[in-house]
Amino acid sequence: MMWAWLRMVLVVAVFLLPGGFPVLLGYVAVRTLMSRWRVAREEAHRVGQEASLRDVLSTLHFKELVRDARAAL
């Protein structure tokens, strides 16, 4: 429920504020990074290793951020 409210506030901010697009892009990047971090930790736990932030960031691509941004709106 909280994500829905936050999403609605960000959509309004993008339309009303001149700096709203960077806020939306930051939100999508953090959300995507958190979900990727969660998946990487689960996969590393299965193998018996540690997941590093560097590994997660190296697999993140801009087109995935755009796809997640479209899905968020």
Side-chain angles (χ1 to χ4, degrees), residues 21-22 24-26 28-29 32 36 56-70:
F21 182 71
L24 179 67
L25 191 60
V28 170
T32 304
R36 290 293 176 101
V56 174
L57 288 176
S58 68
T59 62
L60 195 61
H61 298 287
F62 184 72
K63 64 181 176 182
E64 294 168 355
L65 289 176
V66 171
R67 183 183 62 220
D68 288 346
R70 287 182 178 174

Side-chain angles (χ1 to χ4, degrees), residues 1-69:
M1 183 71 170
M2 183 181 141
W3 288 111
W5 280 100
L6 185 59
R7 187 180 314 158
M8 185 175 67
V9 167
L10 285 174
V11 168
V12 171
V14 167
F15 287 121
L16 296 179
L17 298 174
F21 182 71
V23 171
L24 179 67
L25 191 60
Y27 164 74
V28 170
V30 167
R31 185 174 171 183
T32 304
L33 184 63
M34 287 178 57
S35 67
R36 290 293 176 101
W37 177 253
R38 194 174 314 122
V39 170
R41 282 182 38 201
E42 290 172 1
E43 289 178 1
H45 183 67
R46 280 188 222 136
V47 178
Q49 297 178 348
E50 290 289 326
S52 69
L53 185 61
R54 184 178 182 185
D55 294 335
V56 174
L57 288 176
S58 68
T59 62
L60 195 61
H61 298 287
F62 184 72
K63 64 181 176 182
E64 294 168 355
L65 289 176
V66 171
R67 183 183 62 220
D68 288 346

